[in-house]
Amino acid sequence: MEKTKTTFFKRKKIDEEIKFRSAGLTVQNLFSSWLGSEDIGFIQYHVKRSSLTLLVHSSIPLGYYAGMCIAAPEKNLPYINQVSAGWQAFLGLSLCLQLLSVGLIFYWSRCRWSNHPISRALQVHTGPQWAGWGAVATSINTEFRRIDKFASGAPGARVIVTDTWVMKVTTYYVHVAQQTDAHLTVTESRQHQMSPDSGTPTQTLTLRVASINQAVNPFDIRLMSTEYSELREKLHAPIRSAANVVIHQTINDRFLDTFRAQADLNQPYLLPSEMEVELCIGCMQVPAGAKLIRLCCEEGYDSGSECRQCFCRPMWCLSCLGRWFSSRQDQDRPETWLASSVPCPTCRSKFCILDVCLVR
């Protein structure tokens, strides 16, 4: 019974937050003109946002008292000397909380916000590559503007991974870890019977981000299991998993892993010295790393294959080619995918998984 009550109140709180956000009643929306653009200055934006959020949240008790002055005139709350000791204590604590937050924000803002907790978190990453926390902030701002970053989660718990940084944005803080120093471990997985978006069962993963830099405090990030593959592609280091954690990936994600493994076993394509590799025309993010060569007709393979020789130059990366391959399959019969053939996305010559060669 107690567990049911807790679940009910959690769901009610989430519903209320969604209503406020859908109505635009958030700090980001109400003060957008002062905060500026997150895309232009990510760190500066969140330094201002977290400070303003603290100021707004600390004013809630005082706002409640002011609201009760209007909603309950019989209590005579505007006349402090006539109210009960409880209301006087509440008003005193509300004023102290408001003054304390104003003083704290004033202290943070000195020396161009160098005393802010987010600025202090960036200072631990300074070194030969970045002379000060401002240089670290510039690096993060530049990488955040790139379209190939990984971003997921609600506004109060966003997870952002760039080429150099792993970050978690919370209400009052931004956790920052450098990719080369970070170790990620899947510590927990939770099954949810129904997703509010898709109406299907989902799985939430909790990952612990720890850094070899002792000054960086470990932090947890949460994401859906369907986003795990995309996160893993963006990270340079492998992700460890606890022994009791099982990650349920989608069928397409599992097939993509098999597609990559088979491509590693196939004969590689040696790129001619006069040929230059361009960006993949599918994602425009990584160099084209796959070439289609008919290998299934060789000895030991099926000579009656429908595959044809493809004369296209390398134009696709392995991930995009694998996603194209799976998208052309019968989604209700995944057991037939490995033995199937699909047309080349460029010239329409049919190929199978044995014909995919990595560019060397």
Side-chain angles (χ1 to χ4, degrees), residues 65-84:
Y65 188 93
M68 288 298 295
C69 291
I70 301 173
E74 69 279 1
K75 295 182 179 294
N76 294 323
L77 295 181
Y79 307 98
I80 301 176
N81 58 339
Q82 298 181 10
V83 299
S84 63

Side-chain angles (χ1 to χ4, degrees), residues 186-254:
V186 183
T187 58
E188 184 184 15
S189 64
R190 290 187 178 183
Q191 292 292 124
H192 303 278
Q193 295 300 320
M194 199 68 66
S195 168
D197 299 325
S198 60
T200 58
T202 60
Q203 182 187 38
T204 304
L205 302 177
T206 301
L207 291 84
R208 185 74 167 175
V209 181
S211 177
I212 60 175
N213 187 342
Q214 299 297 323
V216 178
N217 295 324
F219 57 94
D220 293 332
I221 60 176
R222 291 179 176 84
L223 68 156
M224 308 300 293
S225 61
T226 53
E227 301 171 316
Y228 178 76
S229 178
E230 185 181 353
L231 172 69
R232 193 172 56 181
E233 288 183 4
K234 191 60 183 174
L235 289 170
H236 305 317
I239 303 177
R240 294 173 294 182
S241 180
N244 60 336
V245 176
V246 178
I247 301 174
H248 301 296
Q249 294 178 274
T250 63
I251 294 177
N252 288 280
D253 290 334
R254 294 198 295 269

Side-chain angles (χ1 to χ4, degrees), residues 293-309 352 354-355:
I293 302 176
R294 189 184 181 193
L295 300 176
C296 58
C297 62
E298 295 180 357
E299 185 178 355
Y301 298 128
D302 182 12
S303 59
S305 171
E306 297 180 350
C307 299
R308 296 291 180 266
Q309 179 61 43
C352 63
L354 299 173
D355 301 330

Side-chain angles (χ1 to χ4, degrees), residues 315-332:
M315 301 174 67
W316 300 81
C317 68
L318 191 61
S319 297
C320 288
L321 198 61
R323 293 188 182 97
W324 164 264
F325 195 100
S326 62
S327 68
R328 307 290 292 183
Q329 305 300 322
D330 185 352
Q331 301 299 311
D332 296 328

Side-chain angles (χ1 to χ4, degrees), residues 4 8 42 87 102 132 181 210 278 322 337 353:
T4 305
F8 171 78
F42 176 82
W87 279 108
V102 171
D181 298 339
E278 300 178 356
W337 291 11
I353 194 172

Side-chain angles (χ1 to χ4, degrees), residues 9-282:
F9 285 117
K10 283 184 178 179
R11 290 180 178 176
K12 186 176 180 181
K13 182 180 179 182
I14 293 173
D15 291 340
E16 290 176 352
E17 289 179 355
I18 293 174
K19 289 178 181 178
F20 273 105
R21 289 172 184 165
S22 61
L25 298 177
T26 61
V27 172
Q28 294 91 320
N29 291 337
L30 294 176
F31 301 95
S32 58
S33 59
W34 182 73
L35 292 175
S37 174
E38 183 185 39
D39 293 329
I40 296 176
F42 176 82
I43 293 298
Q44 290 78 4
Y45 175 88
H46 285 286
V47 165
K48 293 180 180 179
R49 178 199 58 80
S50 58
S51 303
L52 190 58
T53 301
L54 176 63
L55 184 63
V56 171
H57 288 181
S58 64
S59 65
I60 290 177
L62 196 60
Y64 175 78
Y65 188 93
M68 288 298 295
C69 291
I70 301 173
E74 69 279 1
K75 295 182 179 294
N76 294 323
L77 295 181
Y79 307 98
I80 301 176
N81 58 339
Q82 298 181 10
V83 299
S84 63
W87 279 108
Q88 289 179 352
F90 179 81
L91 178 60
L93 290 174
S94 301
L95 290 172
C96 290
L97 182 62
Q98 185 74 81
L99 293 174
L100 181 63
S101 64
V102 171
L104 184 60
I105 294 171
F106 176 75
Y107 169 72
W108 287 349
S109 65
R110 299 189 65 184
C111 300
R112 297 184 178 180
W113 297 96
S114 61
N115 295 323
H116 194 280
I118 297 178
S119 304
R120 292 176 178 268
L122 301 186
Q123 290 173 6
V124 302
H125 298 285
T126 57
Q129 190 174 2
W130 299 291
W133 75 270
V136 180
T138 301
S139 172
I140 295 175
N141 293 343
T142 301
E143 294 190 6
F144 182 79
R145 286 194 290 267
R146 298 173 183 170
I147 61 174
D148 61 338
K149 65 179 178 293
F150 173 84
S152 175
R158 289 175 66 200
V159 178
I160 300 168
V161 180
T162 66
D163 294 333
T164 309
W165 307 97
V166 180
M167 297 177 286
K168 177 185 177 181
V169 179
T170 62
T171 304
Y172 304 110
Y173 194 64
V174 176
H175 298 271
V176 180
Q178 198 170 347
Q179 273 218 47
T180 54
D181 298 339
H183 299 281
L184 279 78
T185 306
V186 183
T187 58
E188 184 184 15
S189 64
R190 290 187 178 183
Q191 292 292 124
H192 303 278
Q193 295 300 320
M194 199 68 66
S195 168
D197 299 325
S198 60
T200 58
T202 60
Q203 182 187 38
T204 304
L205 302 177
T206 301
L207 291 84
R208 185 74 167 175
V209 181
S211 177
I212 60 175
N213 187 342
Q214 299 297 323
V216 178
N217 295 324
F219 57 94
D220 293 332
I221 60 176
R222 291 179 176 84
L223 68 156
M224 308 300 293
S225 61
T226 53
E227 301 171 316
Y228 178 76
S229 178
E230 185 181 353
L231 172 69
R232 193 172 56 181
E233 288 183 4
K234 191 60 183 174
L235 289 170
H236 305 317
I239 303 177
R240 294 173 294 182
S241 180
N244 60 336
V245 176
V246 178
I247 301 174
H248 301 296
Q249 294 178 274
T250 63
I251 294 177
N252 288 280
D253 290 334
R254 294 198 295 269
F255 174 78
L256 196 57
D257 291 339
T258 305
F259 190 86
R260 292 194 188 98
Q262 181 59 51
D264 288 333
L265 298 176
N266 294 341
Q267 171 187 319
Y269 172 73
L270 300 179
L271 188 72
S273 57
E274 68 276 3
M275 182 182 295
E276 295 184 0
V277 177
E278 300 178 356
L279 290 178
C280 167
I281 63 174

